[in-house]
Amino acid sequence: MSDTPSNPSGIPEQAPGGKPAAAGEQDIQDAVPSARAVPPRAGTPAHASTPVRAGAARTPTAPRRPAPTHTGRPPKAQHAANWQQWQPTPHDPPVWIGEISSDEPARISVATLWCVAVTGLLSALLLGDGLGLNLLIVTVPTAFGAYFAARGAGRRLRPWTLVWAVGGVALLSVPALRDAGWPTFLAVTSALALGSLALHGCRTWLGVILGPFGLFGSLGTGLFWGFQGVRERADGSRGRWAPVLRTAAVAVVLLIVFGALFASADAAFADLLGGLTPDVSVADGPWRTLLFALGVVGALAAAHTAAAPLHWDRITVRPAAPRGRVEWALPLIVLNLLFAVFIGVQLTVLFGGYDKVLSETGLTYSEYATQGFWQLLGATLLTLLVIGLARRWAPRDGARDRTLVSAVLGVLCVLTLVVVASALRRMDLYVDAYGLTRLRVSVAAMELWLGLVIVLIMAAGAFGGRWLPRAVAVSGAAGVLIFGLISPDALVAERNVERYRTSDKIDVNYFQQLSADAVPALDTLPEPLRSCALEGIERELGDSDDPWYATSWGESRARDILDERPIDPQWEECSSMNTRNDSGGERDPYDEGRTGDGY
């Protein structure tokens, strides 16, 4: 027997509502999954049983629209409009972004949060009056916050990390010791770069070059990380904040009340208290608020970088396809021959051939010295680029190729060192003729550092070069530190004072542009030159009234000298004296008759 009821009459089945169901509608109904049918009760007619869902109430069946006539074609599917087809197709990020991405940092610790808060407070109180010892003071809680964050992430202190950290702190001593602006800017920028390297721990060329910029990538993520940590801890420890705030408020009130009483009771204590405490006014509120925000964001960025640094060293640069020996070596050998010919001419000039060269070229003594230095500086920079590209395409099939590469590049490095010496000799000739300026000191220091880099490259070729990127970074930081500690302004003043004593040539107006670091050397000039040279510096020092934490040691020493021996400016005599004691004889084409700072 069959479980399906039969239809012996052949009459089509009735659709709900009493109308015959069309064939097409019947096909569609069969294709749609139906609810579980409830079997009819005993005694109930078969036509009264209707499929219903379990537990559903019986409701009158709504009449359906007439079914379409079946034509034998399948019904057309109705597709909704795809509005995303006009949207730009998302692309996967570059592979190197995934390689350098850091892991998710752990929750920020309470110690790091306190260090961040102290950094923001010190930034608001101390950094608004200038740069000096305050930079070192603000750096201390920032460094501790980064240390606690790195320890929470399981990172260990490595030797190179300690080298970068100590170097950064040493560079921040330049603003505390020297008053000149240009060395201070270089020192602060280099300290920021070394701090970023300490947080990232880079060792490859790309890591050392890009590592100093990685700290800026944590500005936004670090702020969100810190805000999230504060919110989580505030939700779980609301009852403990009230005692802390009450204790801090009571301590502040006691300090203010008793400090004011003691200051009014003793003038010496009042002077000491006034010198130690920052001078904060209501008018400085927006500026102090901005400094507080900058301090907090910077400290959070350093802590976030320490907890989850970017892995710059994971970026791999594939070596280029090696060239053949002749194709690679022939251009470099020709370049070496050109260097050798140039050096031969320089040696001839060095041993007494200046008069012949000047008579043949038609150049003056100063033009010959000036023209040569800049070209030789550019040649040194291009040589470093040539060495880098030559190493990339060098043949490397065996020991013979390694010997060829070492020999050709070694000769090029040695010849470049001679070019560096020739450039420095040109600068020395120019300084003898027209005196020393800030720019001349700067470019000579740059040339010296490039020569040191070439020596490091030669050592890497002989002993292996895994240490070379970090060694170049250390040499650059050391150069900036030495450049700041020797104080270019002090060096300029000393050299020009010596030149005046031997040749009776001096530019008094240029001395007035120098910083307070030049005061000790200019103080040795005879009057009225001394007063004429120091008048501009004394005016700058008199206009500023910076607190102790924003005053450099050079500025403080200059104030003491000027207080002990005040100047007595004589404008008419100074003006005539500047003309009479100019560079003399031959005019400086770059400075229009003055020593100046154009070159």
Side-chain angles (χ1 to χ4, degrees):
M1 294 187 54
S2 174
D3 296 334
T4 307
S6 60
N7 187 8
S9 62
I11 300 174
E13 294 183 3
Q14 298 284 330
K19 295 181 181 181
E25 182 179 350
Q26 182 68 31
D27 294 339
I28 295 174
Q29 290 179 357
D30 294 339
V32 177
S34 62
R36 186 176 58 183
V38 179
R41 297 181 180 179
T44 304
H47 66 273
S49 63
T50 305
V52 294
R53 297 183 182 272
R58 297 177 180 272
T59 57
T61 306
R64 297 186 181 181
R65 292 183 300 176
T69 305
H70 182 66
T71 59
R73 297 179 181 178
K76 296 182 179 180
Q78 299 295 329
H79 298 286
N82 184 13
W83 299 103
Q84 296 181 351
Q85 60 182 337
W86 293 284
Q87 299 296 326
T89 305
H91 298 282
D92 295 333
V95 178
W96 65 271
I97 294 181
E99 292 178 350
I100 69 172
S101 297
S102 59
D103 301 329
E104 188 69 20
R107 189 174 66 165
I108 188 170
S109 63
V110 177
T112 301
L113 287 176
W114 278 112
C115 291
V116 170
V118 173
T119 301
L121 182 61
L122 292 177
S123 299
L125 293 177
L126 303 182
L127 295 184
D129 299 309
L131 299 182
L133 189 61
N134 48 11
L135 276 179
L136 279 173
I137 298 174
V138 173
T139 303
V140 172
T142 306
F144 274 107
Y147 170 75
F148 292 136
R151 189 180 64 176
R155 299 184 66 188
R156 295 179 299 174
L157 183 63
R158 301 183 180 275
W160 273 104
T161 303
L162 189 61
V163 170
W164 302 132
V166 172
V169 172
L171 285 168
L172 289 180
S173 66
V174 173
L177 297 176
R178 301 302 179 189
D179 184 56
W182 177 239
T184 297
F185 172 77
L186 289 179
V188 173
T189 305
S190 302
L192 185 63
L194 290 189
S196 185
L197 286 177
L199 297 174
H200 285 89
C202 302
R203 60 182 182 275
T204 63
W205 277 113
L206 282 177
V208 171
I209 294 174
L210 300 178
F213 302 97
L215 188 62
F216 297 98
S218 297
L219 293 177
T221 55
L223 184 61
F224 177 76
W225 178 57
F227 174 76
Q228 190 176 20
V230 171
R231 186 180 60 180
E232 292 176 357
R233 283 176 169 80
D235 293 340
S237 59
R238 291 183 177 179
R240 290 182 292 178
W241 285 103
V244 173
L245 294 178
R246 286 196 301 266
T247 303
V250 171
V252 171
V253 170
L254 291 176
L255 286 175
I256 292 176
V257 172
F258 283 93
L261 290 174
F262 291 149
S264 61
D266 188 272
F269 182 80
D271 293 338
L272 176 63
L273 190 63
L276 293 178
T277 56
D279 186 11
V280 181
S281 62
V282 179
D284 295 336
W287 173 237
R288 303 286 180 177
T289 303
L290 177 61
L291 291 176
F292 176 82
L294 292 177
V296 169
V297 171
L300 285 174
H304 184 272
T305 305
L310 297 176
H311 304 286
W312 297 106
D313 289 339
R314 293 181 181 176
I315 302 178
T316 56
V317 180
R318 298 179 180 179
R323 298 293 188 263
R325 295 176 182 173
V326 176
E327 180 185 1
W328 179 87
L330 185 59
L332 294 177
I333 292 175
V334 172
L335 182 62
N336 287 340
L337 293 176
L338 178 62
F339 270 60
V341 173
F342 175 79
I343 291 170
V345 175
Q346 295 301 298
L347 292 176
T348 303
V349 175
L350 185 63
F351 288 105
Y354 279 110
D355 295 336
K356 181 179 179 181
V357 172
L358 296 179
S359 62
E360 293 179 355
T361 58
L363 298 175
T364 63
Y365 184 79
S366 61
E367 289 173 346
Y368 181 77
T370 305
Q371 185 184 53
F373 177 80
W374 291 105
Q375 282 80 351
L376 295 182
L377 179 62
T380 306
L381 291 171
L382 288 177
T383 302
L384 291 175
L385 178 63
V386 168
I387 292 173
L389 296 177
R391 291 289 302 176
R392 180 172 173 79
W393 280 287
R396 37 185 184 271
D397 289 339
R400 297 181 60 184
D401 287 342
R402 289 194 296 269
T403 303
L404 175 65
V405 171
S406 300
V408 174
L409 294 183
V411 171
L412 181 59
C413 289
V414 172
L415 296 176
T416 306
L417 286 178
V418 180
V419 171
V420 170
S422 177
L424 293 175
R425 175 57 180 165
R426 298 271 186 125
M427 175 56 67
D428 187 59
L429 293 175
Y430 192 75
V431 169
D432 287 340
Y434 295 108
L436 192 62
T437 62
R438 290 172 173 173
L439 183 58
R440 294 165 194 169
V441 174
S442 301
V443 294
M446 181 68 178
E447 186 72 19
L448 283 173
W449 178 70
L450 292 176
L452 178 60
V453 171
I454 293 173
V455 173
L456 292 175
I457 292 174
M458 295 174 64
F463 305 105
R466 295 187 60 183
W467 49 269
L468 184 60
R470 290 180 288 191
V472 172
V474 169
S475 67
V480 172
L481 178 61
I482 296 173
F483 183 74
L485 292 180
I486 64 174
S487 182
D489 287 5
L491 188 63
V492 167
E494 292 174 1
R495 185 68 180 268
N496 284 284
V497 168
E498 293 177 0
R499 176 171 172 266
Y500 167 72
R501 291 170 180 169
T502 57
S503 62
D504 197 31
K505 299 176 182 179
I506 196 170
D507 187 352
V508 177
N509 287 338
Y510 181 73
F511 292 150
Q512 298 178 7
Q513 306 172 16
L514 301 180
S515 65
D517 298 334
V519 170
L522 297 180
D523 185 58
T524 61
L525 286 172
E527 290 289 358
L529 282 178
R530 173 187 174 274
S531 296
C532 295
L534 293 176
E535 192 277 333
I537 302 176
E538 193 272 340
R539 185 172 59 251
E540 293 292 331
L541 292 176
D543 294 340
S544 62
D545 188 15
D546 298 330
W548 62 271
Y549 50 81
T551 302
S552 64
W553 177 73
E555 185 177 352
S556 178
R557 182 179 56 172
R559 290 179 186 274
D560 294 338
I561 294 175
L562 293 176
D563 289 341
E564 183 180 354
R565 296 181 59 193
I567 64 172
D568 183 18
Q570 301 177 18
W571 289 104
E572 296 181 358
E573 190 173 356
C574 287
S575 177
S576 60
M577 200 173 309
N578 188 64
T579 304
R580 185 174 62 252
N581 293 299
D582 193 15
S583 298
E586 199 174 347
R587 178 179 244 191
D588 187 343
Y590 283 80
D591 298 332
E592 298 182 358
R594 296 180 53 204
T595 305
D597 204 18
Y599 178 68

